[in-house]
Amino acid sequence: MTVLERVKKLSKKQGLSLQTVAERAGIGKNSIYRWSTKTPSTENLQKVASVLNTSVAFLLGEIDNESLDIAKKEVDIEDQNIIMTYEGKPIPPEDLEIMKRFLNGGTGNDRK
């Protein structure tokens, strides 16, 4: 099975079009289609793997287990050493501040 076939299979399983996967990965919307004739970059493979919650090794056919059995991690929204993301993209600091206000009851007061 080729990289493109594996991406198609996982995308379909998750109810996503290849264009949607590409957009969420932050790559050109038709990039994945070109993988039928062109080798994808490692960076783009990693981005697509992240969107599909799988590994680059699976997309390359090195392993057969498509799922990432990653233990859920607890992170503190105040931790400056953590980059919080949504759909594979970093959450801007101003949006994190809005989230913090919401979690504090929408008052804007810190409950430390």
Side-chain angles (χ1 to χ4, degrees):
M1 190 180 293
T2 67
V3 171
L4 178 60
E5 290 168 336
R6 286 176 179 260
V7 171
K8 281 182 178 179
K9 176 185 170 189
L10 281 178
S11 299
K12 184 176 181 180
K13 192 174 184 180
Q14 296 180 27
L16 301 171
S17 70
L18 292 183
Q19 285 185 339
T20 300
V21 172
E23 288 170 4
R24 289 184 181 179
I27 62 177
K29 71 177 186 175
N30 291 314
S31 294
I32 297 172
Y33 292 106
R34 289 192 285 272
W35 293 358
S36 63
T37 58
K38 182 181 174 196
T39 304
S41 71
T42 305
E43 181 182 357
N44 285 351
L45 270 177
Q46 182 58 54
K47 289 177 180 180
V48 169
S50 179
V51 169
L52 295 174
N53 196 31
T54 193
S55 65
V56 171
F58 173 77
L59 294 181
L60 292 173
E62 296 171 355
I63 61 171
D64 292 327
N65 185 2
E66 67 188 47
S67 107
L68 287 178
D69 293 328
I70 298 174
K72 298 215 184 267
K73 291 189 240 180
E74 185 175 309
V75 295
D76 187 333
I77 197 168
E78 297 288 343
D79 188 341
Q80 297 298 313
N81 296 316
I82 301 290
I83 297 174
M84 309 241 350
T85 63
Y86 180 72
E87 293 184 342
K89 297 177 185 166
I91 299 172
E94 57 273 13
D95 291 347
L96 283 173
E97 288 303 317
I98 292 169
M99 291 169 60
K100 289 176 194 176
R101 280 193 302 243
F102 177 77
L103 293 169
N104 287 325
T107 63
N109 298 328
D110 289 336
R111 282 205 242 162
K112 292 184 180 178

